[in-house]
Amino acid sequence: MRRPKPLRRRCWRWRSNPLRRRDYIVETWIVLAMWVVISLGGALVGVVTAQAAEASFAQLRHDRHSVRVVLVESTTRAMQTVEGETNRRVRARIRWTAPDGSVRTGRAPVDSGRRAGSRVTVWLDSNGRFTEKPPAAKAAAVEAGTLGTGAALAFGGLVFAAGRLARWRLDQRRYDRWAREWDQVGPRWGRRTT
């Protein structure tokens, strides 16, 4: 059976060492802080973003409602798109009865291939304007999760880039210090070896 290493041997980097410089300690703390902020902050940003997106989608489902309308004109014509595919949605004249009992007409996007007089469903927002169907609860949950994951990854990327920038700056300071030290020691050392 293998004995665990004593704590003193595992934490040797934290002990006092004549070759250890203050920059090494600073760099260690930067890396530690960077990963803590990435893991905790990224999780927090992801959860908050996903909840905000879910609330936004729920508000859309609450504000929008479907209305059964009658097509006034036929939608058998299909419009060609740039890629050569046919567009399945076209704007057509429709008629419906408003909640107050008045008959209204307008143009709304409906599926192509319908004849005049057929009944279709369109979506209205809270102001009575035509709009798209709100995302279903399942699709909204998937999209909210995707947005949360993307926000967490973006936050993690920014923190990682900031940590790398700080470490790069420490490296530049170290290189400058080493160059100054070499300028002092190099000429004396070179005489001894020649």
Side-chain angles (χ1 to χ4, degrees):
M1 188 159 125
R2 198 169 163 189
R3 291 188 343 183
K5 291 182 181 180
L7 183 63
R8 187 172 180 179
R9 288 184 79 188
R10 276 190 258 156
C11 296
W12 67 270
R13 287 186 175 95
W14 297 98
R15 288 194 321 239
S16 182
N17 183 335
L19 297 177
R20 185 183 70 187
R21 297 176 184 227
R22 195 176 124 249
D23 288 350
Y24 299 139
I25 299 294
V26 171
E27 183 176 19
T28 302
W29 282 108
I30 286 173
V31 170
L32 182 64
M34 179 181 69
W35 285 112
V36 167
V37 170
I38 285 174
S39 57
L40 297 179
L44 181 67
V45 166
V47 167
V48 168
T49 302
Q51 287 177 346
E54 183 63 41
S56 173
F57 294 140
Q59 185 66 36
L60 283 178
R61 285 192 299 275
H62 179 266
D63 290 345
R64 295 178 181 181
H65 61 280
S66 62
V67 177
R68 294 287 289 169
V69 298
V70 177
L71 282 174
V72 176
E73 63 186 8
S74 180
T75 61
T76 54
R77 56 183 161 73
M79 298 168 51
Q80 293 285 332
T81 60
V82 177
E83 292 83 21
E85 299 176 1
T86 57
N87 189 357
R88 297 180 182 203
R89 306 272 296 167
V90 295
R91 293 187 60 80
R93 182 169 290 288
I94 58 170
R95 180 180 64 238
W96 75 97
T97 305
D100 62 1
S102 63
V103 176
R104 297 192 180 174
T105 60
R107 297 187 75 78
V110 296
D111 292 335
S112 63
R114 304 283 181 145
R115 295 179 188 243
S118 60
R119 296 184 71 75
V120 295
T121 302
V122 296
W123 289 85
L124 298 173
D125 63 11
S126 58
N127 296 327
R129 293 183 300 234
F130 296 111
T131 185
E132 293 295 318
K133 179 179 178 180
K138 221 177 215 182
V142 169
E143 190 168 348
T146 303
L147 289 171
T149 303
L153 290 174
F155 178 80
L158 286 174
V159 172
F160 184 78
R164 287 296 299 157
L165 182 66
R167 289 177 64 199
W168 175 80
R169 184 64 192 125
L170 279 174
D171 285 341
Q172 294 304 313
R173 268 184 38 191
R174 242 186 317 243
Y175 297 151
D176 292 342
R177 190 174 304 136
W178 287 342
R180 284 192 306 270
E181 289 174 4
W182 180 252
D183 287 342
Q184 293 172 357
V185 174
R188 288 183 286 165
W189 185 65
R191 277 187 288 215
R192 290 184 187 166
T193 58
T194 55

